[in-house]
Amino acid sequence: MKTMTLLALATALPSIALAESHMEAGSVPLSYGERPFFLIDAMEDGPLKEQLMSCQGQMPERSAFSIGHRGAAMMLPEHTKQSYVAAARQGAGIVECDVTFTADKELVCRHAQNDLATTTNILVTDLAEKCTTGFTAAAGDESASAECRTSDLTLAEFRELKPKMDASNAKATTAEEFQGGTAAWRTELYVPGAEVMTHAESIALIDSLGADFTPELKSASVEMPYDGFSQEDYAQKMIDEYKDAGIDPSRVWAQSFNLDDIKYWIENEPEFGAQAVYLDDRYEAEDDDEGLIDPMDPSTFKPTMQELADMGVNYIAPPMWMLVTTNDAGEIVPSAYADEAKAAGLDIITWTLERSGPLASGGGWYFQSVSDVIDDDGDTYAMLDALAQDVGVKGVFSDWPATVTYYANCMGL
């Protein structure tokens, strides 16, 4: 069957080349690249593989089901111009800028306010002296560490930084060594020339690429209010930058793990609040915290799904593993969490596909509830199919959006 699969792929190459030359009006040329076909070839024989194989000659089309998680962070430095462009070229209909702020309260794209030590070259620049906690070398059982925040820098200083893949070397004895640690299944080929971005710049870029927006208001590492800048000011400033850019609210899915942010937007910016996405991380609560969620036990859902809906929440976004489990036949099926969310009329978005590396060992954290049936990279599409067809999610964040775009195009999502 492997030989037949490769033969079918080779036969389809002219169509694939034609598809990769496809241009959407006012956008960028779209390309699936090699990865979707690599994953399909790795799948077990069956109806899903046959269906995905049948779509090899299709023309790539942008899909809102495909969401660029930090851009295309599997292979490019996250939250950079180049990562956002790559996500759009892979057909992501929505691209994410995680939003935090600098010392002068300007909004920038970073996954966390305090991630500069692992996502930029700050520790090997003169700006290292401004870090909240400077570099500490590894010693004995203690790993190397540093903490550098966007709030340690002005916007002008932030612009001086050069992005890198998000990684660090825990055994480093120098700041230069600390720059390493990139996972073997990622790459540093596309690091040179990568550019950091402000939130406003990301809006202009993503708009020009023909995609829509899902900014995440990140929790501050500094105490709020910060120099008179309250949490409400922060939440409002993020929305104001879309309004200033003339972006229709229907194109924006504002996210937060903080339910109070969601409620603020619902009350104060109802057009944006209607699509606000509550990122659900209550699985991280302490055991004695009544917010702890067991995805298989609806009695632990506090607030309940219906209570969230009654607050005006329309979108909820848990990690993938919370939405699925396995049945006695070893099939991936919806969890009680997924069933309760749908019963309450909540739309579901989930994260993050293509963030686990090779799946031969069960897929790690993102696949933890179905790890017993995950044993190779082809299972990426088994998971995605269950989320799309059985759970009924409205979109999937991915570190390599082409994988999701291909599926969405093939299935007509």
Side-chain angles (χ1 to χ4, degrees):
M1 183 63 188
K2 179 78 72 174
T3 301
M4 293 177 62
T5 298
L6 293 175
L7 179 60
L9 177 58
T11 305
L13 283 176
S15 296
I16 295 170
L18 176 63
E20 292 187 346
S21 69
H22 176 58
M23 173 76 81
E24 288 190 346
S27 184
V28 291
L30 304 187
S31 171
Y32 293 131
E34 174 60 23
R35 185 157 179 80
F37 307 107
F38 166 79
L39 296 175
I40 294 167
D41 194 48
M43 294 175 67
E44 294 183 1
D45 293 342
L48 178 58
K49 181 172 182 174
E50 291 176 5
Q51 184 166 3
L52 292 173
M53 286 286 293
S54 73
C55 295
Q56 289 180 87
Q58 69 189 356
M59 301 284 275
E61 295 183 8
R62 194 169 307 289
S63 172
F65 187 80
S66 177
I67 305 172
H69 182 241
R70 315 184 199 183
M74 175 185 279
M75 296 291 183
L76 291 93
E78 63 188 44
H79 294 308
T80 60
K81 175 182 178 180
Q82 290 71 20
S83 190
Y84 295 154
V85 171
R89 285 174 175 162
Q90 293 176 38
I94 303 171
V95 178
E96 178 188 49
C97 164
D98 289 330
V99 178
T100 188
F101 57 87
T102 60
D104 43 356
K105 308 182 190 73
E106 296 297 330
L107 302 186
V108 295
C109 298
R110 288 289 93 195
H111 178 64
Q113 190 169 48
N114 63 346
D115 73 1
L116 296 182
T118 62
T119 64
T120 76
N121 68 334
I122 188 170
L123 290 178
V124 293
T125 74
D126 291 341
L127 292 172
E129 63 187 29
K130 295 202 166 193
C131 289
T132 296
T133 305
F135 173 73
T136 300
D141 293 334
E142 296 296 320
S143 297
S145 63
E147 183 181 5
C148 305
R149 303 172 177 176
T150 58
S151 54
D152 293 333
L153 309 177
T154 65
L155 177 58
E157 291 167 335
F158 173 78
R159 290 187 185 279
E160 296 177 22
L161 300 176
K162 294 181 179 179
K164 69 180 193 68
M165 296 300 286
D166 184 11
S168 62
N169 178 359
K171 298 181 180 179
T173 57
T174 67
E176 286 75 15
E177 290 178 350
F178 194 73
Q179 304 298 290
T182 300
W185 47 272
R186 291 190 166 128
T187 181
E188 296 183 8
L189 285 173
Y190 308 114
V191 170
E195 304 164 66
V196 295
M197 300 206 78
T198 69
H199 176 235
E201 288 168 347
S202 80
I203 295 172
L205 175 64
I206 294 167
D207 187 37
S208 74
L209 295 170
D212 291 337
F213 316 87
T214 185
E216 180 189 338
L217 195 73
K218 302 302 295 190
S219 297
S221 298
V222 295
E223 186 176 348
M224 298 293 278
Y226 172 76
D227 190 25
F229 189 54
S230 69
Q231 185 68 25
E232 292 77 15
D233 295 334
Y234 181 28
Q236 186 62 53
K237 185 176 179 70
M238 190 181 85
I239 298 301
D240 285 345
E241 293 198 345
Y242 288 94
K243 295 166 73 173
D244 292 344
I247 301 298
D248 191 289
S250 66
R251 297 179 60 198
V252 181
W253 285 262
Q255 312 169 67
S256 181
F257 282 105
N258 184 347
L259 185 56
D260 288 339
D261 292 336
I262 305 298
K263 292 193 291 187
Y264 174 85
W265 291 324
I266 291 170
E267 181 177 350
N268 295 280
E269 291 287 352
E271 289 186 293
F272 289 90
Q275 291 191 163
V277 180
Y278 174 39
L279 297 165
D280 195 350
D281 66 348
R282 290 174 289 168
Y283 55 84
E284 290 188 329
E286 297 295 332
D287 287 343
D288 58 355
D289 188 324
E290 69 174 9
L292 183 70
I293 275 187
D294 175 354
M296 306 307 156
D297 183 0
S299 70
T300 66
F301 302 169
K302 299 180 178 66
T304 67
M305 298 299 183
Q306 189 57 57
E307 287 169 342
L308 288 172
D310 292 343
M311 293 175 194
V313 176
N314 292 319
Y315 287 85
I316 193 166
M320 298 188 302
W321 66 266
M322 289 182 69
L323 294 170
V324 289
T325 185
T326 56
N327 62 17
D328 292 340
E331 299 166 325
I332 301 174
V333 295
S335 66
Y337 180 103
D339 290 340
E340 290 289 311
K342 289 193 293 184
L346 297 175
D347 287 327
I348 305 170
I349 298 171
T350 193
W351 42 277
T352 302
L353 202 69
E354 299 281 55
R355 194 160 182 82
S356 301
L359 302 187
S361 59
W365 190 86
Y366 290 95
F367 291 80
Q368 60 185 277
S369 61
V370 294
S371 59
D372 289 348
V373 299
I374 300 294
D375 56 23
D376 63 40
D377 289 338
D379 289 327
T380 299
Y381 275 124
M383 180 68 147
L384 183 57
D385 189 60
L387 291 167
Q389 305 301 330
D390 300 324
V391 176
V393 301
K394 300 298 183 182
V396 177
F397 282 91
S398 177
D399 276 14
W400 201 245
T403 298
V404 180
T405 303
Y406 183 96
Y407 177 90
N409 288 175
C410 188
M411 300 297 181
L413 300 179

